Amino acid sequence: MPDDTQRICSVLTLNPIASVGLKRLPANLFQIGSDISDPDVILVRSHNMHDMEIPGRVIAIGRAGAGTNNIPVNQMSARGIPVFNTPGANANAVRELVLAGMLMASRNLIPALRFVETLEGDDQSFNLQVEAGKKQFSGLELPGRTLGIIGLGKIGRQVADVAIKLGMKVLGYDPKITIDSAWSLPAEVQKANQIEDLIRHSQFISLHVPLNDSTRYLINDALISRMQKNTILLNFSRNAVVDEDAVLAGIKSGTIKNYVCDFPDQKLKQHPAIITLPHLGASTREAEENCAMMIADQIMDYVAHGNISYTVNFPDVVMERGTQFRVAVANANVPNLLGQISTRMADIGLNIHNMINKSRGEMAYTLVDTDRAVPPEIIDAITRITGVLMVRYLPVSIPSEPERV
């Protein structure tokens, strides 16, 4: 495989990416455009890549956002291609929208707005209709109510924080919470050991989980049957996390007062108890810029140094440069593969200065710094090891120290 640092890295943008992020990719190292036919890197937001033929030269895909359902992640894993995302970069934008959804539902703002739009007549008649009609939109206040948050990542934690500051009680449920996430949770958040416990004790329920096999239709008939009467359900996660037919049945039975979601659907639109928004979660200038800057930094670090952070299919592997010669290897997580890589290098007397190897499920990733240049035949030999998916040679020019005077 050729030296990856000796040529311009071409970047295909499938959606507009904020220029403040793209400017972080130096023009002397990166060629960026929406019409590049054979890219090294693909940057995407919402474009559906499942039916797209992804060129063989691609070494990374970057999603300027958190969800990656529009990307064929499994196929990329099989090719040794990391799929980067930007969790948390749009967290504040989503938090504000969740709060807006809670207020719209609890204060009946949408039907009240629609009511006012129907009023006619002169000023006196108009005012009389307002006074006569407003009682039907009487709502409730948030302080003292309980918000159950399912999923305590960066967005879930921020939603918890703002709810507590508004005087709400907060229950949290996340069986896969990380240590860092747990440490950063507000102390006032009470832990629910079972999702059923959270469902039973919450007047508001907000979903902040990724869509995968374990979360598809997480909210279903069984869980809805355990909800309190007039529960307000908020979904700013993914549409398929909720069984929409079960929600409609829950509204009909009076269990669910309102369903607020960010995913329009023919089945849900114009239902008086449902508020659907056109996927506005990350639709702020600030969120788009934060996502663009974060993904650009991740791609830059990966292209130049092989470092990986925030992907959905690779382990996080970051190692400071110990020498100017580095090899990056993506491989299946199988026994003795690391030993085979070391053996290929040892066979020609190549000394390993530093090495790091981590795995995530079926995927493993290795960075190796050597004390001298790695010959092309060794890169080829490592590439031919059974289980190796991608090999990149990443030497850099390290300026010599200035002469002391």
Side-chain angles (χ1 to χ4, degrees), residues 156-371:
R157 299 197 304 272
Q158 288 203 23
V159 171
D161 182 66
V162 72
I164 289 166
K165 289 175 179 176
L166 288 170
M168 301 186 77
K169 301 173 184 177
V170 176
L171 288 175
Y173 174 77
D174 190 338
K176 297 183 178 180
I177 190 170
T178 65
I179 294 174
D180 288 343
S181 294
W183 274 107
S184 59
L185 265 179
E188 296 89 344
V189 176
Q190 299 179 43
K191 176 185 176 183
N193 292 317
Q194 301 292 332
I195 192 171
E196 291 82 2
D197 295 336
L198 180 145
I199 293 291
R200 276 198 305 268
H201 294 99
S202 301
Q203 290 89 48
F204 294 79
I205 298 170
S206 190
L207 306 173
H208 301 286
V209 296
L211 177 61
N212 52 45
D213 290 341
S214 65
T215 61
R216 186 176 297 275
Y217 300 145
L218 178 68
I219 302 301
N220 50 35
D221 285 314
L223 283 182
I224 290 174
S225 69
R226 299 172 184 265
M227 290 180 182
Q228 296 185 22
K229 187 176 178 61
N230 291 322
T231 292
I232 293 175
L233 176 64
L234 304 111
N235 178 16
F236 290 85
S237 184
R238 283 291 181 270
N239 58 336
V241 170
V242 170
D243 182 341
E244 294 175 349
D245 289 329
V247 167
L248 290 169
I251 292 172
K252 187 175 182 180
S253 70
T255 303
I256 296 176
K257 175 183 178 291
N258 292 107
Y259 177 49
V260 187
C261 75
D262 204 19
F263 313 101
D265 187 283
Q266 289 281 1
K267 190 181 298 184
L268 304 180
K269 73 174 187 178
Q270 298 182 342
H271 192 293
I274 296 177
I275 302 170
T276 56
L277 304 174
H279 208 182
L280 297 179
S283 295
T284 67
R285 184 187 71 242
E286 294 86 351
E288 291 178 6
E289 291 181 350
N290 288 340
C291 288
M293 289 188 288
M294 183 173 175
I295 200 64
D297 290 347
Q298 292 166 256
I299 293 298
M300 180 68 189
D301 201 19
Y302 175 69
V303 169
H305 305 293
N307 288 328
I308 290 182
S309 57
Y310 296 112
T311 71
V312 296
N313 60 338
F314 272 60
D316 283 359
V317 179
V318 177
M319 184 172 75
E320 289 190 16
R321 285 268 186 175
T323 72
Q324 66 187 98
F325 308 108
R326 171 167 288 187
V327 177
V329 182
N331 58 272
N333 186 18
V334 295
N336 196 38
L337 207 148
L338 191 60
Q340 293 184 66
I341 295 172
S342 302
T343 298
R344 299 297 190 279
M345 294 183 173
D347 284 345
I348 63 163
L350 194 61
N351 184 53
I352 294 177
H353 177 85
N354 201 3
M355 174 187 286
I356 184 172
N357 169 268
K358 290 186 179 180
S359 63
R360 177 179 179 179
E362 298 179 353
M363 179 66 64
Y365 187 69
T366 304
L367 293 178
V368 184
D369 286 352
T370 61
D371 285 344

Side-chain angles (χ1 to χ4, degrees), residues 105-118:
S106 62
R107 297 301 301 272
N108 300 309
L109 297 182
I110 300 301
L113 175 64
R114 290 171 179 160
F115 164 74
V116 172
E117 290 175 342
T118 66

Side-chain angles (χ1 to χ4, degrees), residues 91-103:
N92 183 69
V94 178
R95 172 180 68 169
E96 290 182 356
L97 200 60
V98 172
L99 176 58
M102 292 171 63
L103 293 171

